[in-house]
Amino acid sequence: GSAQQLTTRRRFLALSALAAMAARVRAQTPRARIGVLDPSPFEDSVYANSVVQAFTERGYGEGVRATFLYRFAEGGFDQHREQARALAAQNCDLLVALRSEPTARALQSVRPAAPILFLAIDYHPLESGVVTSLRSPDRNTTGVFAPQNVLVARRVEILRQLLPQANRLMVFADPYSADQVEAALKAAAAANFRLLLVQFGRQPYEYSTYLQDTRSVEADACMTLASPVFTRDRRPICEALLRQRLPSI
């Protein structure tokens, strides 16, 4: 259905980015050292396994022409930079920044000799200043941008299709997803939803305030915007949504 099409679109965008990453690995390197910085642990990451798979399909499997060095940082920028330094010290041939702006900025901040390739999911690399051009490598950095504003609107459309009688849509936002709020407001209005915008600030986010009893906020459905924090916290969020039997996407 529509939800599956959205998932397929995201996977297609991710694999397109990974193909670009693989092309940048130097063919003359006997065994490429590929460093990956992610906001989530490997087992919880949405894209890390696809990174390894995409490189493997192109002949750079773990132990076969490649060694993968994986680091994650769930905290603030200082933790991201610490993990970036650790990767830079490993003399990587390629550095991959997954999902969030802090991963790309942290790798840039340590000024590595290796090129940096990003998969921008939770931010706009041009508007945020990570690069000054999306057409050519810049600051030793290039990559692929999957525009969340388009996906936000599509997710709202899917909720309306699945829940034609729903009235009030609760949307979780935070500083990482601030640039998606306007798209969510416009999409909700177009889909005839009354939007309840919940904007979190300081971590840890108090999800329970809004998910312990959704009747108190009169929500018929819930949607989180794209953020590394919501990705990290998706398990407790999903468990709370299931307890409340609140539809989400």
Side-chain angles (χ1 to χ4, degrees):
S2 298
Q4 184 177 2
Q5 291 174 1
L6 179 62
T7 301
T8 301
R9 173 178 168 77
R10 283 189 170 186
R11 186 175 296 277
F12 172 77
L13 290 168
L15 292 178
S16 295
L18 297 174
M21 295 173 190
R24 291 294 301 273
V25 178
R26 296 176 181 177
Q28 65 268 28
T29 303
R31 178 172 292 185
R33 296 173 67 83
I34 303 172
V36 181
L37 184 59
D38 196 325
S40 304
F42 187 89
E43 61 272 17
D44 293 333
S45 176
V46 177
Y47 291 97
N49 190 61
S50 294
V51 169
V52 176
Q53 180 181 350
F55 277 109
T56 300
E57 291 174 352
R58 290 162 178 80
Y60 289 92
E62 176 66 47
V64 182
R65 298 184 66 198
T67 298
F68 289 91
L69 305 169
Y70 189 87
R71 297 274 180 163
F72 73 94
E74 293 184 311
F77 183 75
D78 287 344
Q79 185 180 353
H80 282 78
R81 186 161 49 191
E82 178 183 347
Q83 299 300 329
R85 286 196 187 106
L87 284 175
Q90 296 296 316
N91 297 318
C92 294
D93 299 289
L94 181 69
L95 293 166
V96 181
L98 290 183
R99 290 192 62 89
S100 66
E101 180 182 346
T103 62
R105 287 201 176 280
L107 288 173
Q108 287 181 324
S109 73
V110 299
R111 301 181 181 277
I116 300 168
L117 290 148
F118 61 77
L119 176 56
I121 300 296
D122 300 338
Y123 68 102
H124 193 304
L126 191 60
E127 293 179 358
S128 66
V130 169
V131 292
T132 59
S133 172
L134 292 176
R135 293 187 176 183
S136 59
D138 176 49
R139 301 175 187 171
N140 204 32
T141 305
T142 190
V144 168
F145 169 44
Q148 283 296 328
N149 290 350
V150 175
L151 298 179
V152 167
R154 185 61 183 136
R155 291 167 67 201
V156 173
E157 291 174 8
I158 291 171
L159 276 175
R160 173 50 74 205
Q161 293 170 10
L162 296 175
L163 305 168
Q165 303 303 318
N167 179 40
R168 196 169 177 89
L169 173 62
M170 180 165 60
V171 173
F172 286 173
D174 69 352
Y176 293 106
S177 56
D179 61 343
Q180 302 165 42
V181 170
E182 184 177 355
L185 291 169
K186 290 180 179 179
N192 199 27
F193 276 118
R194 293 173 57 201
L195 190 139
L196 170 63
L197 182 63
V198 179
Q199 293 184 297
F200 295 101
R202 184 174 299 176
Q203 297 184 47
Y205 299 164
E206 296 293 335
Y207 303 113
S208 59
T209 302
Y210 302 94
L211 296 178
Q212 279 186 346
D213 186 0
T214 54
R215 290 173 297 180
S216 63
V217 293
E218 299 178 350
D220 299 311
C222 180
M223 185 177 80
T224 63
L225 299 182
S227 159
V229 182
F230 297 146
T231 299
R232 181 196 67 196
D233 297 344
R234 65 184 182 274
R235 287 183 180 176
I237 292 174
C238 289
E239 289 171 359
L241 291 169
L242 284 171
R243 285 195 299 271
Q244 296 298 324
R245 298 184 178 180
L246 188 66
S248 181
I249 187 171

